[in-house]
Amino acid sequence: MKKALILFGLAATLVLSACGNGNNDTSSEPNKGNNEIQKEGENGHAGMDHSGSSGAPEGMQKAANPTFPEGSEAVITDAHMDGMKDAAAMIAGAYDTTVYTVSYTPANGGDRVTDHKWVVHEEIKDAGKEPLKPGDEVVLEADHMTGMEGAEATIDSAEQTTVYMIDFTSTTTGEEVKNHKWVTEDELALP
């Protein structure tokens, strides 16, 4: 009887393990293989927290003379995720800062993300006052992507500019997105 129970347990374990795909990732991103790199254009912002739970990070300076003032409307001309391109946007905030594209491996595991748009200077741990340079190694404090907060990252590009936090309705799902972080001036147009 004891042997039968042990054999039954082993058989059940084998059957259950055969049903799994070996991917323990519970995010919404498709399994791209352990050795593949997630490029921004492929999966884009699949793990994005589309509506930011908070406003701008502490210490951000409001833009003195933004092209798109807070409360104004714009059209999104560049898509970071499905449903963004050509959507009408309401400007929730405009800030002067250094904006970066970064490559990072999510802190919670998963495929490396390359050329992620955008992280602002104020979302980088111990960034200091001076802008960072391409190649600098940093730790992210941004939380607008799953696994981003606490992730080690490399700065890919840096630009001093005005960035915008926007509200919009997805053109593909109808989902209302609040406080989307971030878009730059060249990703917006007048309606």
Side-chain angles (χ1 to χ4, degrees):
M1 180 69 177
K2 197 173 189 181
K3 274 187 174 181
L5 286 174
I6 292 171
L7 288 173
F8 178 77
L10 287 172
T13 302
L14 287 172
V15 168
L16 290 174
S17 66
C19 292
N21 66 2
N23 180 8
N24 293 329
D25 183 12
T26 58
S27 73
S28 62
E29 295 178 14
N31 183 16
K32 298 183 74 162
N34 293 335
N35 296 324
E36 289 189 36
I37 294 175
Q38 176 188 338
K39 293 189 187 204
E40 198 63 14
E42 292 173 7
N43 249 356
H45 288 58
M48 173 155 270
D49 177 10
H50 295 188
S51 288
S53 58
S54 61
E58 201 172 302
M60 288 200 76
Q61 184 167 346
K62 287 199 178 254
N65 191 22
T67 302
F68 303 95
E70 189 171 328
S72 67
E73 292 184 8
V75 175
I76 304 168
T77 60
D78 192 12
H80 299 169
M81 62 187 194
D82 288 341
M84 270 184 94
K85 188 162 176 57
D86 298 326
M90 177 69 69
I91 305 300
Y95 306 89
D96 288 331
T97 189
T98 303
V99 67
Y100 303 99
T101 57
V102 296
S103 294
Y104 67 96
T105 301
N108 61 348
D111 299 332
R112 186 160 177 83
V113 176
T114 60
D115 294 319
H116 170 79
K117 291 180 181 179
W118 301 100
V119 173
V120 295
H121 192 77
E122 294 78 7
E123 294 175 316
I124 296 176
K125 185 176 183 176
D126 300 325
K129 299 230 184 255
E130 294 300 313
L132 300 164
K133 300 181 296 301
D136 286 349
E137 300 290 326
V138 299
V139 174
L140 302 177
E141 291 183 337
D143 62 358
H144 34 98
M145 292 283 292
T146 303
M148 183 177 269
E149 190 170 13
E152 294 180 2
T154 303
I155 302 293
D156 295 321
S157 71
E159 179 185 355
Q160 185 72 33
T161 190
T162 301
V163 295
Y164 298 89
M165 186 166 52
I166 59 172
D167 299 340
F168 68 96
T169 301
S170 171
T171 60
T172 55
T173 66
E175 174 188 7
E176 288 187 35
V177 179
K178 299 283 187 190
N179 292 341
H180 173 83
K181 301 179 186 90
W182 301 98
V183 294
T184 58
E185 282 190 7
D186 61 350
E187 295 171 322
L188 297 172
L190 292 172

